[in-house]
Amino acid sequence: MKDTITTSDTASRRPTPAARGGRPRRRKLTFDRVTFFLAFLGVPLAIFVLFVLYPFVQAVFWAMTDWRGFSPDYEFVGLDNFTKMFQDDIFLKALRNVVLLAVCVPLVTLTLALCVAVAITLGGPSKGPVRGIKGASFYRIISFFPYVVPAIIVGLIWAQMYDPNAGLLNGVLTGLGLDGFDKFAWLGETTTAMPALMFVIVWGLVGFYAVLFIAAIKGVPGELYEAAKIDGAGRFRTTISITLPSIRDTVQTGYIYLGIAALDSFVYVQAMLPGGGPENSTLTISQRLFSVAFAKQQFGYATAMGVVLAVVTLVFAALVFLVNRLTGGGEGEGKKNARGLKARRAGAKGVAQ
């Protein structure tokens, strides 16, 4: 009798068999399910459409007009603004500048941030368990401090430091005996204006990404580093084989955010080089857009520049995702290395026993 009851109860608790064709039966739309979808899917989707998609569609429309910004009158001109834009040498120069910033700034910033993060978290004594250097909290605060200062303040401070007559940089260099830097205009030469600007952007952002990578590295299982040490891997090999694959998704996210910031970089450039630098060597699309809109009152043409900048940003993000996908992604590679190192560690323990 007990066996019969148990069997019937077990059968009643079995999952409902699939419908014909092997497809699972659809669950009924109850009030709870409908309210859940409306609250957690419908509301965010509505906000996204209202504040992201709709303004972008509006921007595309105004980009095809000759709207002057301060008048309700406008005429539809089609693609004339885009044609004019790609025949404008100044805009093409600005486009090349932002592409250069998007390539160089994230690469240098993330490389330095990763070096700082690895040194702080894994740069401790080689004997014993893997741990960071002494005073790691102090170094984290110091590296993060430049990011706390507003970007406009950072730009103004460095503009004063680059001053050819009373700047601190030239004063230090000439004090060291480098007389060639006496009254040297770092922001006034086409060969040094862009590197000087990149240095300031990297200096202002590297601390944030160092702290981001520190948090990501602390999430890597310590047994992986111990297995690598047993396997005889040095610090550099451990960084390449364990740390990078394990935090690859974080690096990808940081590269995208940094690339977007570099494609804009309006605040830093406007604070240090409001005119676009010598021969427009540091001019960005956002600066050109601002000038065309508010100085020349060509808001339709400026909106077209904004649309192009948005498309360039989307293409940049898509390329980063594509490269990450083609190179295998971070999670799969990290798991592969983890399995291999665990197997070696188990083998080493077996030999020791």
Side-chain angles (χ1 to χ4, degrees), residues 2 8 36 253:
K2 291 181 180 180
S8 61
F36 175 82
T253 304

Side-chain angles (χ1 to χ4, degrees), residues 185-197:
W186 291 92
L187 301 179
E189 300 288 338
T190 56
T191 56
T192 59
M194 181 60 79
L197 173 65

Side-chain angles (χ1 to χ4, degrees), residues 119-341:
I120 290 177
T121 55
L122 306 176
S126 57
K127 296 181 180 180
V130 178
R131 60 184 183 273
I133 60 177
K134 294 182 179 180
S137 301
F138 172 76
Y139 292 111
R140 282 200 299 267
I141 295 173
I142 293 299
S143 62
F144 190 75
F145 176 75
Y147 186 77
V148 178
V149 182
I152 184 65
I153 304 300
V154 171
L156 293 175
I157 290 175
W158 276 98
Q160 294 297 320
M161 294 184 68
Y162 283 137
D163 186 88
N165 296 316
L168 179 62
L169 181 59
N170 285 346
V172 172
L173 293 176
T174 54
L176 295 175
L178 302 176
D179 297 333
F181 292 99
D182 184 27
K183 296 183 179 180
F184 182 79
W186 291 92
L187 301 179
E189 300 288 338
T190 56
T191 56
T192 59
M194 181 60 79
L197 173 65
M198 290 183 181
F199 175 82
V200 174
I201 298 175
V202 171
W203 182 86
L205 297 177
V206 67
F208 172 80
Y209 291 95
V211 173
L212 181 67
F213 290 158
I214 289 172
I217 293 173
K218 285 184 175 296
V220 179
E223 61 183 8
L224 298 183
Y225 293 110
E226 295 177 4
K229 183 181 290 187
I230 293 174
D231 200 42
R235 296 181 187 274
F236 180 77
R237 181 63 180 175
T238 301
T239 302
I240 298 299
S241 301
I242 303 297
T243 306
L244 273 178
S246 300
I247 66 170
R248 187 167 180 172
D249 292 338
T250 305
V251 174
Q252 172 189 287
T253 304
Y255 201 101
I256 291 175
Y257 277 113
L258 264 174
I260 293 174
L263 287 170
D264 182 11
S265 61
F266 176 79
V267 177
Y268 291 101
V269 182
Q270 193 67 15
M272 299 173 60
L273 297 151
E279 299 180 9
N280 295 320
S281 58
T282 62
L283 183 69
T284 61
I285 295 179
S286 55
Q287 272 189 306
R288 180 62 177 165
L289 184 156
F290 183 84
S291 174
V292 169
F294 293 97
K296 299 181 179 180
Q297 296 184 5
Q298 298 178 4
F299 278 79
Y301 185 36
T303 306
M305 294 182 184
V307 171
V308 171
L309 180 59
V311 172
V312 170
T313 303
L314 292 175
V315 171
F316 172 82
L319 286 176
V320 174
F321 279 112
L322 180 62
V323 170
N324 186 60
R325 178 65 63 86
L326 292 177
T327 53
E331 185 176 357
E333 190 174 351
K335 289 182 178 180
K336 186 190 300 183
N337 291 334
R339 287 195 298 268
L341 289 172

